[in-house]
Amino acid sequence: MRKLSILLFLSLSILLGNAQQVTIQDVANGTFRTEGISGIKPMLDGEHYTQISKDRKKIVKYSFKTGQEVATVFDVTTARDCTLRSFDDYIMSPDESKILIQTETKPIYRRSFTAVYYIYNVRNNTIEPLSENGAQQVPLFSPDGTQIAFVRNNNIYLVKLLFGNSESQVTEDGKYNEILNGIPDWVYEEEFGFNRAFDFSADSKMIAYIRFDESKVPMYSFPMYQGMNPALNEYTVYPGAYNYKYPMPGVDNSKVSVHTFDIKSKVTRKMDLPLDVDGYIPRIQFTNDANTLAIMTLNRHQNRFDLYFANPRSTLCKLVVRDEAEQYIKEEAYGNIKFYPNNFIMMSERDGFNHLYLYSAGGNLIKQITKGNYEVKDFLGWDEKANTYYYTSNEGSPLRTAVYKIDAKGRKTKLSNKAGSNRAIFSKNMKYYINTFSNLTTPPVISINDNTGKLLTTLVNNQKLAQRVASVNMPSKEFFTFKTSDGVELNGWIMKPANFNPAQKYPVILHQYSGPGSQKVLDQWNIGSRSDGGMFEAHMANHGFISVCVDGRGTGGRGSDFEKCTYLSIGVKEARDQVETALYLGTLPYVDSKNIGIWGWSYGGYNTLMSMSEGTPVFKAGVAVAAPSDWRYYDTVYTERFMRTPKENMEGYQASSAITRAHNLSGNLLLIHGTADDNVHLRNASEYSEALVQANKQFDMHIYTNRNHGIRGGNTTNHLLTRVVNFFIEHLK
C-alpha cells in the first residue's frame, strides 16, 4: 500500500505539473543520499553491536535482539581529559576493554590514510594519545590486547600498554619512495585492495610483515599548482611536483619479502619463501596457530595462486594450496580466506563460478561447499556448533543477491526473502544479522534478522527519502535484455522521462563502466548516486533524454567464461557490445537513432573512446572522464592481469589502445581529466589528444587543477556535471 501511495502521489504530481525538478546541484551535493548506519561492529557476546552516533560524538551499544540502544560505550563529552569534539572511526581491542579512537584522518591514496589515534579505556573512562611522535597508519591490537603496532613513515612501531605505553621501533630502514614496512606500495594498495601488511601471532609474541623494496620501480611525477579549495600556497610563485613510484606494464615491481619480528628477543627473520623473482604477495595472515603464518602469493601472470604456511621462527614455508586458472585469479581467492582452529575456507572459480571450498588445517580439500551456475559474492561466516555456512550469492539472477545458509549435508536455506540487493553483517555467534536490502524502487532498508531469516526489527527504512523522491519528476527505470548480432544476451536498464510518450522520438545517452568483473545493471537503489541510474539521469530526463546502461562482455556476475572472454584484448568486445546496444536501441520506435551519446568514468571513459572509434558511427557525442587511453600507461598489476606484458602481447595492446583507433573517432568528443590523477595519469588524455590532433579530429577538452581520479573538491563536481549536461544538450538536442 505504501508503494502504491507513493506511485499515486508521483502520478498526481506529474499530472498537476508541480513535480520538483532535479537540479545538477542536487546531484553534485548528494541531496537525495540515503540514510545508513556508520561504524557497525558486532561485539564478542554475540548479543550486541556498536555503532557511531550520527553526530560522530559517541559509540553506542545496541541489542541485536531488539535493535534498541542499551548503553553508551564512548562519548567525547563525558570521557575524562577528552578534548575531542568528534571522531572519524574506531577500533575495538580483542577483549573490548579498550578502543582506539581515530581522528584527524588525512587520505593518502584510495585506501591509505594517516590519523591521530587515542586509546580509550572503557573501564575508567580515560583517553590518552596512542603516540605523541606523529600521526599513525593502520594500528592493530595484539590478540591479548596489551600491545598496539602501527606504521609511521614506512616503519613499524610497537606500543606496550602494560609498560606505560612505551613506544619502540620495530623496523629501521623505511624510507619514502624506497622501502615500506608493514604497508603496501601504491600498486599493491590500489590493485590488491588492502592497506595493512603486518599481523600479530595468535600468542601476541611475534609480528609478521611484508617488506616492499620499490627502489628499482621507476618514478612518476606530475605537477602541483596553487589552485583553490584547497589552496596550496607553497606553490604560489612556482608550481611543484608530486613524485612517487608507479610501475607500468613490463617494468620492475617492488621486490617483496616476508619477515617476522620476535617481540621479546627483538630478532628479525626473513621467511624462506619460494617466491618467483617477479612474484606478488597480496596477503599475509597469522592463523589460529601461533606457529603458522599464512602467506599468499601470485606469479606475475596472476594465474597461479599459492598458499604457504610458514613457521615464523624456523622460516620454513610449506605449500598447502595451489589454485590455477587459464586466465587469472581474482581477488576473492586471497581476500576472503577465513581461518578456524581446525580448518579454513576459501573461494575459487575452478569450476567456472566463484564458490566456497573447505580445507583441513593442513591444506587437504575436504569438500566444495557451494555448487551451481551462480557466484558466491561474500562468505559471511561459519557456525561451528551447527556446522552451517553463511554467504551471499546471486543464485537465480546475476542482477540480485540474497543471504543463504547451507548445512553440512548441503541443505540450503534462503534467508533474505525480498528480491533485490542484500548484504549482511552477522553477530559473532551467528545468531543474528543486520541486513541491508534495496531494489530499483525501494531505498535501503536496514533490518535485524535471526539466523532463520525472521525479521526482528527494522533500524532504517528511508521512507522520508522515498517520499521526497515521490515528489520529484523522476523517470521510470526498468530492466531489459537483448541479443547482439553475435548471439550474446546482454542485460541492461533503461530510464525514460516521467512524461514519456511512446509516439515521440527521444535522444539516448548510454552510461557504462564495462571494466572486468564490474556490474552496473543491478536490482538495487541508485537514485542518490551521481551517475549509476539515479539523479543525474533524472536531471537528463528533465531535458528530454532517455538514459541506458548495458553490461557487456567482460563484466561480472555471470561466471568466468563471460567475464574472462576479453582476456588479452580488453576493450575490444566491450566496445563492440556498446555499439550493438546503440544499434538495438535505434530499432526501437521511440529512440532517435541519429542522436545517441555515450559516456563513462575511468574504464567507462576508456570504453567511450573505444566505442566511438570502433568503426560503426552510431554515437553522435561522447564524454570520457579520467580515461585510460593506452594500457602501456597504466599500472602493472591491473593491466598484466588481463593483458600480460607488452613484450608478450604487443598485438593485444595495439588492439586495445584507444590511441591506435583515434583516426576512426566518429562523433563529438569531450575529454575531462584532473591534473593530479595518481591513478589514471593526465598523460593518457594528453597522448590521446595529440593523436586526435594529428588525425585532424576536432574535440573538446576540460582539465581540472590539482584534482585526482575522483575529480572532487569545492565546486568541482557541480562544474563537471554541468559541463557534461551542456555538452550532450548541445550535440544531441
Side-chain angles (χ1 to χ4, degrees):
M1 288 299 294
R2 189 176 286 150
K3 287 183 182 178
L4 288 174
S5 65
I6 291 171
L7 291 172
L8 178 61
F9 183 81
L10 175 60
S11 301
L12 288 172
S13 297
I14 294 168
L15 289 171
L16 294 172
N18 64 357
Q20 175 187 343
Q21 299 292 304
V22 177
T23 68
I24 279 298
Q25 287 81 5
D26 289 329
V27 184
N29 298 336
T31 302
F32 293 88
R33 67 171 62 92
T34 60
E35 180 186 353
I37 297 177
S38 180
I40 294 177
K41 300 186 192 298
M43 299 189 76
L44 289 175
D45 64 6
E47 296 296 324
H48 299 92
Y49 64 93
T50 55
Q51 70 179 66
I52 301 175
S53 61
K54 290 182 181 179
D55 60 6
R56 309 199 78 83
K57 293 178 182 294
K58 300 178 183 179
I59 300 172
V60 184
K61 181 179 179 180
Y62 290 86
S63 165
F64 264 115
K65 190 173 293 184
T66 66
Q68 296 297 308
E69 178 180 339
V70 296
T72 296
V73 179
F74 169 72
D75 186 339
V76 298
T77 65
T78 59
R80 290 162 53 192
D81 303 321
C82 183
T83 59
L84 305 176
R85 293 186 176 181
S86 62
F87 61 98
D88 302 323
D89 205 347
Y90 67 103
I91 302 169
M92 287 279 196
S93 68
D95 67 355
E96 299 173 351
S97 67
K98 295 179 178 64
I99 307 174
L100 276 174
I101 304 297
Q102 178 183 322
T103 69
E104 300 181 45
T105 305
K106 295 180 180 179
I108 302 174
Y109 300 122
R110 190 187 298 266
R111 295 172 180 85
S112 56
F113 57 88
T114 63
V116 176
Y117 289 89
Y118 294 84
I119 306 169
Y120 174 68
N121 189 307
V122 175
R123 294 190 180 96
N124 62 25
N125 195 35
T126 58
I127 190 168
E128 57 186 330
L130 170 61
S131 172
E132 295 183 338
N133 299 316
Q136 306 93 46
Q137 284 181 253
V138 293
L140 178 69
F141 279 101
S142 61
D144 65 6
T146 66
Q147 304 168 95
I148 300 171
F150 64 85
V151 173
R152 179 192 293 124
N153 297 329
N154 291 7
N155 279 314
I156 300 172
Y157 291 79
L158 183 65
V159 171
K160 295 183 177 181
L161 305 182
L162 298 181
F163 293 87
N165 295 354
S166 64
E167 182 177 317
S168 59
Q169 192 166 337
V170 173
T171 64
E172 303 281 348
D173 60 344
K175 187 178 180 181
Y176 182 64
N177 278 337
E178 288 192 19
I179 304 294
L180 302 92
N181 293 295
I183 53 172
D185 65 7
W186 184 93
V187 73
Y188 267 72
E189 175 186 332
E190 175 69 21
E191 307 301 359
F192 289 134
F194 70 111
N195 65 357
R196 176 171 55 81
F198 70 85
D199 198 17
F200 278 99
S201 61
D203 60 7
S204 304
K205 294 180 179 179
M206 304 197 80
I207 296 174
Y209 62 94
I210 306 175
R211 180 181 184 270
F212 297 81
D213 181 350
E214 61 177 2
S215 57
K216 301 296 184 184
V217 177
M219 189 80 75
Y220 194 88
S221 177
F222 53 79
M224 298 297 296
Y225 306 97
Q226 181 183 13
M228 299 172 65
N229 206 340
L232 305 180
N233 292 324
E234 62 268 37
Y235 306 133
T236 300
V237 179
Y238 285 92
Y242 185 80
N243 304 297
Y244 71 123
K245 297 302 184 82
Y246 185 101
M248 296 183 190
V251 309
D252 287 341
N253 284 306
S254 289
K255 302 302 180 185
V256 287
S257 52
V258 178
H259 303 257
T260 60
F261 175 76
D262 189 309
I263 295 170
K264 185 176 181 180
S265 68
K266 295 182 169 51
V267 172
T268 298
R269 301 174 176 90
K270 180 181 178 181
M271 298 299 99
D272 188 16
L273 182 69
L275 181 70
D276 295 347
V277 67
D278 56 357
Y280 297 108
I281 306 174
R283 295 288 192 283
I284 62 168
Q285 180 184 344
F286 268 105
T287 68
N288 298 79
D289 179 358
N291 294 313
T292 303
L293 171 66
I295 304 175
M296 304 163 206
T297 74
L298 289 167
N299 62 337
R300 181 140 181 175
H301 284 163
Q302 299 174 64
N303 62 357
R304 187 188 74 234
F305 165 77
D306 287 336
L307 172 62
Y308 290 92
F309 281 171
N311 185 300
R313 288 184 172 82
S314 74
T315 76
L316 293 176
C317 297
K318 176 187 177 183
L319 177 64
V320 290
V321 174
R322 171 167 286 181
D323 197 10
E324 296 181 282
E326 183 178 346
Q327 299 93 358
Y328 52 87
I329 300 289
K330 292 172 64 177
E331 185 181 341
E332 286 84 352
Y334 46 85
N336 287 282
I337 297 180
K338 297 290 193 332
F339 293 99
Y340 298 95
N342 299 310
N343 53 50
F344 62 90
I345 294 168
M346 63 176 286
M347 293 183 180
S348 173
E349 288 187 309
R350 66 189 62 171
D351 72 352
F353 292 86
N354 196 55
H355 283 295
L356 299 174
Y357 291 81
L358 176 66
Y359 288 84
S360 70
N364 294 316
L365 177 62
I366 298 173
K367 66 175 180 178
Q368 182 174 345
I369 298 170
T370 58
K371 297 178 183 179
N373 293 342
Y374 61 88
E375 293 185 348
V376 172
K377 292 297 185 181
D378 194 16
F379 175 53
L380 301 172
W382 175 52
D383 182 344
E384 185 175 1
K385 289 182 179 178
N387 203 5
T388 300
Y389 310 89
Y390 294 84
Y391 61 95
T392 56
S393 80
N394 65 0
E395 184 173 358
S397 170
L399 277 60
R400 300 177 179 91
T401 54
V403 182
Y404 291 86
K405 67 178 179 181
I406 187 169
D407 65 19
K409 294 182 179 180
R411 291 175 297 204
K412 186 173 11 178
T413 304
K414 186 178 182 180
L415 302 182
S416 49
N417 55 21
K418 294 181 179 179
S421 169
N422 291 273
R423 63 181 190 272
I425 300 173
F426 268 81
S427 61
K428 295 286 188 182
N429 57 11
M430 307 304 292
K431 282 177 61 178
Y432 314 98
Y433 68 96
I434 297 174
N435 188 75
T436 302
F437 160 78
S438 75
N439 61 22
L440 283 189
T441 57
T442 309
V445 176
I446 305 175
S447 62
I448 301 180
N449 307 265
D450 67 19
N451 61 12
T452 69
K454 179 183 176 182
L455 175 66
L456 299 179
T457 188
T458 298
L459 303 175
V460 175
N461 60 22
N462 273 297
Q463 277 303 304
K464 289 183 180 178
L465 173 63
Q467 290 164 11
R468 282 197 70 192
V469 171
S471 68
V472 171
N473 201 5
M474 195 71 197
S476 63
K477 185 176 182 181
E478 56 196 66
F479 293 119
F480 70 94
T481 61
F482 77 99
K483 277 192 175 181
T484 69
S485 61
D486 296 324
V488 180
E489 186 172 86
L490 300 179
N491 298 318
W493 55 251
I494 185 169
M495 293 180 72
K496 303 171 185 175
N499 56 351
F500 174 72
N501 180 356
Q504 182 180 333
K505 285 191 178 291
Y506 294 85
V508 174
I509 299 173
L510 271 62
H511 179 259
Q512 43 71 52
Y513 181 75
S514 302
S518 66
Q519 279 187 273
K520 292 298 182 182
V521 183
L522 292 166
D523 191 4
Q524 65 185 21
W525 181 268
N526 279 323
I527 285 177
S529 69
R530 182 163 63 179
S531 57
D532 280 334
M535 284 301 164
F536 180 81
E537 286 74 16
H539 179 77
M540 297 309 294
N542 293 339
H543 291 288
F545 287 93
I546 287 175
S547 294
V548 173
C549 178
V550 166
D551 282 339
R553 285 171 292 180
T555 58
R558 298 176 61 176
S560 60
D561 286 348
F562 186 85
E563 180 174 333
K564 297 177 181 179
C565 71
T566 62
Y567 187 59
L568 298 182
S569 58
I570 56 174
V572 177
K573 290 184 173 70
E574 297 96 312
R576 180 60 200 169
D577 286 348
Q578 295 304 311
V579 168
E580 291 272 355
T581 299
L583 292 172
Y584 164 74
L585 293 170
T587 67
L588 302 179
Y590 50 82
V591 169
D592 182 355
S593 62
K594 295 182 180 179
N595 284 293
I596 298 178
I598 183 171
W599 81 291
W601 204 296
S602 194
Y603 199 102
Y606 159 71
N607 203 38
T608 294
L609 302 179
M610 293 291 285
S611 300
M612 293 181 70
S613 51
E614 184 268 351
T616 310
V618 292
F619 296 110
K620 189 178 179 183
V623 180
V625 186
S629 61
D630 191 300
W631 292 108
R632 290 173 297 179
Y633 306 153
Y634 201 53
D635 72 59
T636 49
V637 176
Y638 184 92
T639 307
E640 292 176 14
R641 181 183 300 157
F642 310 117
M643 295 287 289
R644 298 199 173 182
T645 66
K647 184 177 181 180
E648 295 171 289
N649 182 30
M650 182 52 72
E651 184 178 344
Y653 276 81
Q654 290 291 105
S656 297
S657 172
I659 290 176
T660 63
R661 287 187 174 195
H663 64 283
N664 279 335
L665 179 71
S666 174
N668 302 283
L669 174 66
L670 169 61
L671 291 173
I672 297 176
H673 223 105
T675 64
D677 192 333
D678 63 275
N679 188 347
V680 180
H681 302 132
L682 178 61
R683 172 191 186 184
N684 287 269
S686 299
E687 297 286 5
Y688 183 73
S689 64
E690 170 66 2
L692 292 178
V693 169
Q694 298 309 320
N696 200 28
K697 297 286 184 178
Q698 294 296 318
F699 62 98
D700 290 305
M701 192 169 182
H702 198 109
I703 302 300
Y704 285 94
T705 304
N706 290 351
R707 300 305 170 197
N708 64 14
H709 197 53
I711 315 184
R712 294 184 178 90
N715 188 53
T716 305
T717 299
N718 177 62
H719 189 279
L720 185 154
L721 294 178
T722 301
R723 185 83 167 88
V724 174
V725 171
N726 291 342
F727 185 81
F728 280 130
I729 290 174
E730 177 186 355
H731 293 291
L732 298 182
K733 294 289 286 184

